[in-house]
Amino acid sequence: ASMNVLFLDETESEQLSRRVSFKEKLLPLVKGLVRVGQLRQVMSKYRGRLTEVVTLVVRTAVSASLETSGAEDGTSTSRDGDSDGDTSRGARGGQGGKSTS
């Protein structure tokens, strides 16, 4: 599972060339961050932002999936009767299906 699947129309040689080019462009930045002692902080900040974005994407996808499945089976989008009983988050918890976020 590599990034190669994103560029199926490229030959292996083109993919390798693109990866080498990316690494060559990134190397001076990494070396500079190491030299000034900031690589760890930058990577930590990047990891935090990436986590926020991934969390938002997953929440959006799950919400859309729940809305779609509720519309397909004719049920209300209100989640009052969920089997897990979690109505504390407000987005679907007994609010008539209206998002508060």
Side-chain angles (χ1 to χ4, degrees), residues 7 10 13-23:
F7 302 98
E10 289 184 337
S13 176
E14 290 169 330
Q15 291 173 357
L16 178 61
S17 176
R18 188 173 31 80
R19 284 194 307 258
V20 168
S21 175
F22 176 74
K23 288 178 183 178

Side-chain angles (χ1 to χ4, degrees), residues 6-93:
L6 298 176
F7 302 98
L8 293 175
D9 58 333
E10 289 184 337
T11 66
E12 283 186 46
S13 176
E14 290 169 330
Q15 291 173 357
L16 178 61
S17 176
R18 188 173 31 80
R19 284 194 307 258
V20 168
S21 175
F22 176 74
K23 288 178 183 178
E24 287 174 350
K25 290 176 183 176
L26 197 58
L27 189 58
L29 173 63
V30 172
K31 284 182 176 180
L33 289 170
V34 169
R35 192 175 308 120
V36 297
Q38 293 294 310
L39 183 62
R40 185 180 307 261
Q41 291 88 339
V42 169
M43 292 305 296
S44 177
K45 189 174 188 177
Y46 172 76
R47 184 176 29 250
R49 287 187 178 176
L50 182 62
T51 300
E52 291 172 5
V53 169
V54 169
T55 300
L56 178 62
V57 167
V58 169
R59 284 182 180 168
T60 302
V62 169
S63 177
S65 176
L66 289 173
E67 289 175 5
T68 301
S69 67
E72 287 175 355
D73 65 13
T75 61
S76 168
T77 56
S78 174
R79 309 306 291 174
D80 285 340
D82 275 358
S83 59
D84 65 0
D86 182 12
T87 59
S88 62
R89 293 180 43 212
R92 301 243 180 268

